[in-house]
Amino acid sequence: MRFGDLKIPHKLMVVFGVMLAAILAMGVTLFINQEVYEASVKQSTLAQQSLRAADTAAFRLTRQENSLRGFLLSGDDYYVKRLEEAHKPKFLGALDELRKLAAGDEADLARIAAVEAAYANYRQQAIEPAEQLGADPATRAQAVELVKHDGVADKAVEPVEDAIQAITDDAEAVVTAQAEAQGKASMLNTLVLLIGTVITLAIGVGGGLLLTGGIAAPVAAMTTAMRRLAAGDNTVAVPASGRKDEIGEMAGAVATFKDAAIHKLRLEEEAVEQRRRGEAERARTEAEKAADAETDRIAISALGEALGSLADGDLTYRIDVAFAPKAEQLKTDFNAAAGRLQDVMRGINGATGGIRAGSEEIAQASDDLSRRTEQQAASLEETAAALDEITATVRKTAAGAKEASSVVAAARADAERSGAIVSQAVSAMAGIEQSSGQIGNIIGVIDEIAFQTNLLALNAGVEAARAGDAGKGFAVVAQEVRALAQRSAEAAKEIKTLISTSTQQVGSGVALVGQTGEALQRIVDQVAAIDALVNEISASATEQSTGLHQVNTAVNQMDQVVQQNAAMVEEATAATHSLKGETGELAALVGRFRVGGESAIRTPAAPTSHAVHVAQARAQTFVRPGGRSGGAATATKVDEWEEF
């Protein structure tokens, strides 16, 4: 079946159905792609959280190493407390966080298990023995051997660091892959939106042209023909005679009306001929003339009255006067023609009412669609504004992080200069100590002998303990030797106190300055670590700002497309109002005929030009250069959403 043979409501349903199907397909595609984009963002967020937890674990591991070395160098229990705090609440807490984030991922759980196993081995081989040996000054030297370069601690901590690095590398790879996936999803959204907009616009233009050629043009031609026919031009050609829709039915009715008018003229000519014959008959016979004249007068009077009513549009009038046998057929033909014409015009009235009702429904639907499009445009504009604010906030955060990085770098430089000054002070104090140390060389030799004797006695005691019962006697001798060495050392210290008090004060000063230099060096190391973390935070904030800028650009493009769609809907609404006005004019023309029964609905047509001007004004007010809605669209408040 051809498109032109469809009924007018079916034509409208086909055009708007194809348009709505295209919009629905575009919406479904965008929804599915948005779901993929949100899933990618979720995975990227989990990977970033895992990366932060892994960095925390690496930092706490380094904190334990530094605390262990500080304890072995100073013997202060503060470092033991700090080491244990970095162990259980911090390091193990970071591993628990990683395990929560990796729930269900066997590969990530395996990497976390590798970190736990390597860390347990590191504590067993290095931290726990170093804490035990470092608690006793006599065995602290052995503990120091554990943490020297390429010692047990370095070899045991290396697998832990490698396992944490594996987690970090995997998380970074996931973040990179999801960033690429999000970029592709954003590009696909833009492509689908552009293609869908072009397709919808093409369907709208094509549907408008089809409706204009299939409905508006034939209706306008039919209106012109009916006006000429009403003016008495019976030679006019009736357009759209071969169509199968309502316009074709209307053309058939107009053709019948044309035939009735032609028949009326023929009847009038016949009446004139009958009057002429009557005049001839009256010449032949007066009685026959009178009878014939009376018969003709009755027939002509009734027929003239009937034709006058027909000319006034009253199709309900019928000739009830009795005609002579020779004129009875004329009465029958006229009544039959009037009846058929009445039925045709009644059908035209019904069809016109249906067309007008359909036009009003289409106009209402177009108004609703226009209003919802304006509401959607306003909501999208608010979303774009919110994204602008978020982007500005992230940019401020990035600027603050950069400024903090500059401050930390300056603090690091100041700490390094302070360390250099303290090193110079240590060198000066060492020179003073060397000058004063000549006085206590003898005491130093005695101390060295006592220390070596004590160390030999300690080693002898360890060997005797390994020998078991066979070395008990040797252990007693070693204990006595150790006691003798301790007494010698105490005597040497007392002699040293009596002889060189000044030397002791200078040594104490050197030790304090040295500890100050070590503390400053640790501060420099910690400031460097803070500087690296602040640099990472600044880089991350910059990347987030770039990503939000890209999302904001995409939302602005969507806002422009929605504004264009709203303008197109306004134009379609104006065309629908124009069709409604022309249908009203057709109903007014047909309503001039009285057909009996229900009277035709006479609704004055809305001014077509006014509807078009209003729609154009609304479209110009709605869309501004730059893609942002203005005028009434910005002030629109959505109270409720109506389903179409």
Side-chain angles (χ1 to χ4, degrees):
M1 180 180 291
R2 297 185 300 107
F3 180 77
D5 295 334
L6 295 176
K7 300 295 185 180
I8 292 178
H10 295 166
K11 292 176 182 175
L12 298 175
M13 289 177 61
V14 168
V15 173
F16 284 98
V18 172
M19 183 182 298
L20 292 177
I23 296 174
L24 179 61
M26 180 176 63
V28 170
T29 303
L30 290 175
F31 176 77
I32 294 174
N33 197 50
Q34 183 65 23
E35 292 294 324
V36 174
Y37 180 82
E38 291 179 357
S40 177
V41 170
K42 183 177 181 180
Q43 292 182 3
S44 178
T45 302
L46 291 177
Q48 290 176 355
Q49 292 176 355
S50 300
L51 188 60
R52 287 195 294 270
D55 290 340
T56 301
F59 174 73
R60 295 304 173 185
L61 181 64
T62 304
R63 186 68 176 269
Q64 294 184 55
E65 293 183 277
N66 294 335
S67 299
L68 181 61
R69 292 190 181 97
F71 171 67
L72 296 179
L73 290 175
S74 64
D76 193 350
D77 291 338
Y78 162 74
Y79 292 102
V80 176
K81 181 179 178 182
R82 194 172 72 168
L83 189 150
E84 293 303 322
E85 288 178 353
H87 160 57
K88 193 164 187 180
K90 304 296 178 60
F91 184 84
L92 295 182
L95 292 184
D96 291 337
E97 181 67 19
L98 284 172
R99 192 177 291 105
K100 291 178 181 178
L101 295 174
D105 192 334
E106 297 297 334
D108 288 345
L109 293 176
R111 283 189 284 269
I112 296 171
V115 173
E116 289 180 333
Y119 178 68
N121 182 57
Y122 169 61
R123 286 194 60 87
Q124 183 179 3
Q125 292 186 6
I127 295 179
E128 294 176 356
E131 287 180 346
Q132 294 177 359
L133 294 175
D136 189 354
T139 59
R140 187 171 298 167
Q142 297 179 16
V144 173
E145 289 294 326
L146 295 175
V147 296
K148 71 179 183 178
H149 179 63
D150 289 338
V152 174
D154 283 350
K155 294 180 180 179
V157 79
E158 185 175 356
V160 184
E161 294 174 345
D162 293 342
I164 294 176
Q165 186 62 36
I167 295 176
T168 301
D169 294 340
D170 180 71
E172 291 177 349
V174 171
V175 171
T176 302
Q178 294 304 322
E180 294 177 357
Q182 292 168 16
K184 292 180 181 179
S186 179
M187 184 179 298
L188 182 60
N189 273 340
T190 303
L191 184 61
V192 169
L193 195 59
L194 291 177
I195 294 175
T197 301
V198 171
I199 293 175
T200 304
L201 183 60
I203 293 174
V205 172
L209 293 176
L210 286 176
L211 292 177
T212 301
I215 298 177
V219 169
M222 185 66 64
T223 302
T224 303
M226 293 182 68
R227 286 175 178 172
R228 292 178 59 185
L229 188 62
D233 185 4
N234 295 325
T235 62
V236 63
V238 179
S241 297
R243 297 172 64 100
K244 298 181 180 180
D245 57 356
E246 290 87 346
I247 298 176
E249 295 177 356
M250 188 185 303
V254 173
T256 302
F257 183 71
K258 175 183 176 182
D259 294 340
I262 294 174
H263 185 66
K264 172 188 174 183
L265 293 177
R266 188 168 62 250
L267 291 178
E268 289 179 350
E269 293 175 357
E270 292 178 355
V272 172
E273 181 65 21
Q274 288 179 356
R275 283 197 297 271
R276 187 184 61 82
R277 292 177 181 177
E279 292 290 339
E281 290 292 333
R282 185 175 51 186
R284 289 192 302 269
T285 175
E286 190 67 24
E288 189 175 340
K289 176 182 176 182
D292 290 340
E294 182 66 17
T295 302
D296 292 339
R297 185 188 64 77
I298 295 173
I300 292 172
S301 176
L303 184 60
E305 185 179 356
L307 290 175
S309 299
L310 183 63
D312 294 335
D314 186 6
L315 302 181
T316 61
Y317 186 84
R318 297 293 184 273
I319 299 176
D320 298 326
V321 180
F323 280 15
K326 62 180 181 179
E328 188 66 24
Q329 184 63 36
L330 180 61
K331 170 185 174 182
T332 302
D333 292 340
F334 178 84
N335 290 338
R340 288 195 297 270
L341 186 59
Q342 180 182 5
D343 295 336
V344 170
M345 295 307 296
R346 184 181 291 112
I348 292 174
N349 281 336
T352 304
I355 293 172
R356 185 178 57 80
S359 300
E360 291 177 352
E361 291 177 358
I362 293 171
Q364 182 63 34
S366 298
D367 291 337
D368 294 341
L369 181 59
S370 175
R371 183 178 67 257
R372 288 194 295 272
T373 304
E374 293 176 359
Q375 294 172 355
Q376 182 181 7
S379 300
L380 192 58
E381 181 184 10
E382 294 175 359
T383 303
L387 279 175
D388 287 337
E389 295 177 359
I390 294 174
T391 303
T393 303
V394 172
R395 287 177 180 171
K396 290 181 181 179
T397 303
K402 290 181 179 179
E403 184 177 357
S405 177
S406 301
V407 174
V408 171
R412 178 182 180 181
D414 293 340
E416 289 177 351
R417 288 196 295 271
S418 299
I421 294 172
V422 171
S423 298
Q424 294 176 3
V426 170
S427 298
M429 293 297 292
I432 298 172
E433 183 182 15
Q434 184 178 4
S435 299
S436 301
Q438 296 176 357
I439 301 173
N441 286 335
I442 298 174
I443 304 304
V445 172
I446 295 174
D447 287 338
E448 183 67 23
I449 293 172
F451 178 78
Q452 293 295 333
T453 304
N454 189 11
L455 182 59
L456 291 173
L458 178 61
N459 290 334
V462 174
E463 294 297 332
R466 291 180 179 177
D469 295 337
K472 287 183 178 180
F474 189 75
V476 173
V477 174
Q479 183 67 26
E480 293 296 329
V481 171
R482 184 178 181 187
L484 179 59
Q486 290 178 351
R487 289 196 296 272
S488 298
E490 292 173 359
K493 289 180 180 179
E494 291 175 359
I495 294 171
K496 185 176 181 179
T497 301
L498 296 173
I499 294 176
S500 89
T501 304
S502 62
T503 302
Q504 292 177 356
Q505 293 176 351
V506 171
S508 177
V510 171
L512 292 176
V513 174
Q515 293 178 3
T516 303
E518 293 174 356
L520 283 175
Q521 184 60 38
R522 289 193 298 273
I523 292 173
V524 170
D525 295 338
Q526 293 174 356
V527 169
I530 294 173
D531 188 17
L533 291 176
V534 171
N535 286 332
E536 292 179 358
I537 293 173
S538 177
S540 177
T542 302
E543 292 177 358
Q544 292 177 0
S545 176
T546 302
L548 282 175
H549 178 70
Q550 295 175 354
V551 173
N552 191 14
T553 301
V555 171
N556 288 333
Q557 293 176 355
M558 293 173 64
D559 187 15
Q560 294 176 3
V561 173
V562 171
Q563 304 297 342
Q564 296 172 0
N565 290 341
M568 182 186 69
V569 171
E570 291 292 342
E571 294 176 359
T573 303
T576 304
H577 281 289
S578 176
L579 176 61
K580 178 181 176 182
E582 293 180 358
T583 305
E585 292 181 1
L586 177 61
L589 291 176
V590 176
R592 295 171 56 186
F593 297 96
R594 294 190 296 275
V595 295
E598 296 181 358
S599 61
I601 300 175
R602 302 189 181 186
T603 302
T608 303
S609 59
H610 177 70
V612 175
H613 292 326
V614 171
Q616 293 177 351
R618 292 180 63 190
Q620 293 175 359
T621 304
F622 188 73
V623 180
R624 301 186 308 194
R628 294 301 180 91
S629 60
T634 307
T636 302
K637 301 296 181 181
V638 182
D639 296 329
E640 62 180 5
W641 182 262
E642 297 179 353
E643 291 293 330
F644 182 69

